[in-house]
Amino acid sequence: MSLVDLLTACFGGGGGSAPVADRQAPYLSADQASQMPLDLFLERSIESAPSTLQQKDAFADILQKHLEGGVSTAHVVQVVQNTLERLANNKTEVATAQWACQVLGIAAQLPGSEGAGASGYRPPQMPGNSYAQVAGSNNDGWQTQQPKHRPPQHRVDDADIYIRSYFFPSEESFRALINFIGSAKSSLDICVFNITDNEVTRAIGEAKERGVDVRIITDDEQLKCQGNDVERMRDQYGIPFKTDSDPSKFMHSKFAIIDKRAVWSGSYNWTVSARRSNNESAICTNDPTTAQSYSEEFEKLWTEF
């Protein structure tokens, strides 16, 4: 069963009537819920049962759209667990909520579920084809070239490889970036010209707080700009960073690697203007050779700076 199926079931997959709640639950309309970011949607829709179940089809559709943004299984389960613990009336209910969420997390990681797989983060709705096919090539193009660029030790099942493109301004593309950051389990290496978007900063900080090894490389001049969050992340979360320390040139790269397995890269700066105003683009892939190349470039710059 997929993560979508598991969570949709929790939001009213059954056909029964809504249960009677012991507490006064605030009403939440589907129209209101559809305007909320994922975390707030999860919290408010759980708080607002039974009205959520009374509109179960609409709420299930909203949840489905959020999950199609490539959300981290662990993140969803954690938000749900925190909300249930907060609403629990006694220790038994707290324990029940904790175990129920553990069951969700374990089930979502079983083979065949959307939360499973060694490749880490996977964008939504990726066809089960090779990197080359997804990129739109044919037998005269990428596919014949792939063996030259993929060392034998990095061979994986083509069905597990994806590449996905994103364009800005777009809140959907931005949510994909947040979900990408949120899916990091062991490491998050960021090499970005400028970071001023507070929501991005919060996602990076949350990764650090859940035990992910986070490092940042950025431009020395941008570090001095108003609204830059890199030094704040060092002070607040203990995240180390390095700069090029050369005013005669820019550290103009814009990429990130999670768990040394998946890469986000493109023109997109992690700023509010790039998110809401600029025409920007980015790709995300877990192609092993690409991930290795970006990891090597990050390590080279980290050593150099």
Side-chain angles (χ1 to χ4, degrees):
M1 179 180 286
S2 71
L3 175 60
V4 173
D5 295 332
L6 285 166
L7 292 177
T8 300
C10 292
F11 281 83
S17 59
V20 177
D22 293 330
R23 59 183 175 82
Q24 284 296 110
Y27 179 81
L28 178 66
S29 71
D31 286 341
Q32 291 173 314
S34 66
Q35 304 302 313
M36 295 176 176
L38 175 62
D39 287 12
L40 183 59
F41 168 78
L42 292 171
E43 294 170 1
R44 289 290 307 280
S45 58
I46 293 172
E47 290 173 351
S48 299
S51 65
T52 302
L53 291 178
Q54 292 167 354
Q55 308 166 83
K56 61 187 178 186
D57 291 339
F59 274 78
D61 287 343
I62 297 169
L63 176 62
Q64 177 83 23
K65 290 177 181 177
H66 278 298
L67 297 180
E68 287 175 353
V71 65
S72 160
T73 304
H75 179 73
V76 172
V77 171
Q78 188 62 59
V79 173
V80 172
Q81 179 174 318
N82 291 345
T83 304
L84 292 175
E85 288 176 2
R86 177 166 51 82
L87 296 175
N89 292 318
N90 53 57
K91 292 182 179 179
T92 299
E93 291 184 0
V94 169
T96 300
Q98 291 174 340
W99 175 240
C101 289
Q102 289 296 312
V103 170
L104 277 178
I106 294 169
Q109 294 298 324
L110 291 174
S113 73
E114 292 181 2
S119 299
Y121 173 76
R122 174 177 289 276
Q125 300 177 336
M126 291 306 300
N129 298 323
S130 70
Y131 177 169
Q133 291 169 327
V134 174
S137 65
N138 54 42
N139 289 334
D140 296 323
W142 286 86
Q143 287 177 313
T144 58
Q145 296 175 10
Q146 275 189 325
K148 300 178 183 178
H149 300 290
R150 184 176 297 158
Q153 65 268 29
H154 286 146
R155 289 189 182 278
V156 295
D157 188 342
D158 278 348
D160 291 331
I161 301 175
Y162 62 77
I163 182 169
R164 183 75 185 269
S165 56
Y166 298 97
F167 300 94
F168 298 83
S170 164
E171 280 302 300
E172 182 179 358
S173 293
F174 178 74
R175 294 258 63 87
L177 171 61
I178 295 299
N179 292 334
F180 175 84
I181 296 170
S183 69
K185 296 179 180 179
S186 60
S187 65
L188 172 59
D189 291 329
I190 300 166
C191 186
V192 176
F193 182 60
N194 196 6
I195 303 176
T196 64
D197 192 310
N198 289 339
E199 192 165 352
V200 171
T201 298
R202 182 164 56 252
I204 296 170
E206 289 173 352
K208 177 67 174 178
E209 289 180 333
R210 65 174 181 269
V212 175
D213 182 15
V214 182
R215 297 182 293 176
I216 298 174
I217 295 174
T218 192
D219 183 73
D220 57 339
E221 295 299 311
Q222 293 302 308
L223 192 68
K224 306 171 186 175
C225 292
Q226 183 176 5
N228 187 285
D229 290 334
V230 174
E231 289 183 323
R232 178 162 69 87
M233 283 189 280
R234 178 198 59 194
D235 297 339
Q236 184 173 346
Y237 300 107
I239 296 174
F241 72 86
K242 291 189 176 183
T243 70
D244 56 318
S245 301
D246 188 346
S248 67
K249 64 181 181 182
F250 290 132
M251 200 306 297
H252 210 240
S253 289
K254 305 168 188 71
F255 67 85
I257 314 108
I258 58 171
D259 304 332
K260 301 190 185 301
R261 289 178 174 174
V263 176
W264 175 286
S265 180
S267 70
Y268 182 73
N269 264 314
W270 296 9
T271 64
V272 175
S273 59
R275 169 185 176 183
R276 297 178 177 170
S277 304
N278 297 353
N279 294 116
E280 307 278 3
S281 60
I283 64 165
C284 177
T285 182
N286 69 341
D287 174 67
T289 301
T290 303
Q292 179 181 342
S293 296
Y294 272 92
S295 293
E296 290 174 353
E297 174 65 10
F298 185 92
E299 295 298 341
K300 179 177 77 72
L301 293 176
W302 188 259
T303 300
E304 179 182 330
F305 296 158

